[in-house]
Amino acid sequence: MTRLVESIERHQIPLYLLAIVAGGLFGWLIPAAAEPLEISINPVLGLLLFATFLGIPFGKIGQALRDFRFMATAMILNFIIVPVVVFGLSRFVAHDQALLIGVMMVLLTPCIDYVIVFSGLAGGSSDRLLAAAPLLMLTQMLLLPLYLLLFIGPEIVSAIEPGPFLEALVVLIIIPLMAAALTQRWARRALAARHLMDLMQNLMVPLMMLTLAVVIGSQVVGVGQELRSLLAVIPIYVAFLIIMVPVGMIAAHSARLDAGSTTAVVFSGATRNSLVVLPLALALPEPLALVALVVVTQTLVELIGMVTYVKAVPRLISCSITSHA
């Protein structure tokens, strides 16, 4: 069993890509499956986030917060620098409300789940990202409405109901987060809780695969139907991935972070929270239905980009450290 889990973790990137292909084929060949798959997104995603949060060392969050340089760098990068980059890139689709809202929603929200995996594969300090995850998640949920109001305008934002945002925050974030914290506390004195934690950690990769397959399968027909419109956002997502490498490295260098922390910061700045934002996008009114497909498109571009990141970012950081030595 242990060897199987280790093998799955070593090959998780191709497994994620396989899940995307399988989900896409299933959804494309069986269009009637789109609705039940869409309904299952929240339960599957909630389970994935519960497993993710179980890996957060809640008892060490105070210590992580005292790691001021890393935490400050991650927060400044994600919530001050990234919005400036996103605003500039979004001007290319500013003429289309749905494309603009979709790009803004997904690129303004930093990832808190598989970024930990990809950063770890590249030699990043995954423990710091784990500790930063709750703060990144809660901050983005508080700031996203403000960013949308500032960048898009009150007329469009007024058409967006706040209910789905609050529901997603409670159902997908607060409840799994509290459940994970309570499970960790229970595990201190109960063998069953420790077994549950071990089981959920072993299921992380399969859960991520299931989530990706369900999300892609539920949206692939819509993506195909709106392909011409969605082609406009692909260059924006690619440009964002390219830009965030030097931007993240400069931010980390300014804070004098080590190689592992620098890698974690770069991945944190580049990976976005598409899987958590998707339920929010799906809850938008019918005239903005394209927003969900814009979010899904970012997932596809980003996961392909992460394959390159895992190989390229450590080399770039190593060269940068050597040149500054």
Side-chain angles (χ1 to χ4, degrees), residues 160-168:
I160 303 175
E161 294 292 334
F165 286 85
L166 296 175
E167 181 181 349

Side-chain angles (χ1 to χ4, degrees), residues 58-286:
F58 289 100
K60 297 182 180 179
I61 285 181
Q63 178 182 343
L65 292 175
R66 290 193 292 273
D67 187 357
F68 180 77
R69 285 191 298 169
F70 176 83
M71 197 65 68
T73 304
M75 297 296 286
I76 291 171
L77 178 64
N78 279 296
F79 300 115
I80 296 179
I81 299 175
V82 165
V84 174
V85 174
V86 172
F87 179 78
L89 291 174
S90 69
R91 297 308 88 194
F92 292 100
V93 292
H95 61 281
D96 188 300
Q97 287 187 359
L99 296 182
L100 179 62
I101 292 174
V103 166
M104 287 286 185
M105 285 182 67
V106 72
L107 292 186
L108 289 171
T109 50
C111 183
I112 50 89
D113 39 56
Y114 62 61
V115 61
I116 297 166
V117 173
F118 288 120
S119 175
L121 290 173
S125 300
S126 298
D127 55 335
R128 287 185 169 91
L129 283 179
L130 272 170
L135 186 59
L136 287 172
M137 187 66 243
L138 294 175
T139 303
Q140 68 186 261
M141 280 297 172
L142 292 173
L143 291 182
L144 180 58
L146 178 62
Y147 286 141
L148 293 178
L149 184 66
L150 181 64
F151 293 154
I152 298 176
E155 297 83 6
I156 300 177
V157 174
S158 63
I160 303 175
E161 294 292 334
F165 286 85
L166 296 175
E167 181 181 349
L169 177 63
V170 172
V171 174
L172 295 177
I173 307 303
I174 294 178
I175 291 177
L177 190 63
M178 291 180 63
L182 291 173
T183 301
Q184 283 192 15
R185 187 172 181 178
W186 179 32
R188 296 173 188 170
R189 58 179 184 275
L191 183 61
R194 291 195 289 274
H195 286 324
L196 174 61
M197 290 182 63
D198 290 340
L199 175 63
M200 295 306 295
Q201 289 304 300
N202 291 338
L203 289 176
M204 274 294 296
V205 175
L207 282 173
M208 179 64 77
M209 292 175 64
L210 178 61
T211 303
L212 291 170
V214 166
V215 167
I216 300 304
S218 69
Q219 303 298 315
V220 67
V221 172
V223 170
Q225 293 172 345
E226 298 288 349
L227 186 59
R228 181 172 297 180
S229 297
L230 295 172
L231 286 175
V233 301
I234 291 176
I236 294 175
Y237 295 147
V238 173
F240 181 79
L241 286 170
I242 294 172
I243 291 169
M244 289 313 300
V245 174
V247 169
M249 289 173 61
I250 291 170
H253 177 70
S254 300
R256 300 188 302 278
L257 298 180
D258 59 29
S261 296
T262 298
T263 301
V265 164
V266 170
F267 273 82
S268 178
T271 51
R272 303 290 89 189
N273 218 1
S274 55
L275 296 179
V276 173
V277 169
L278 182 60
L280 305 181
L282 291 169
L284 293 174
E286 183 60 31

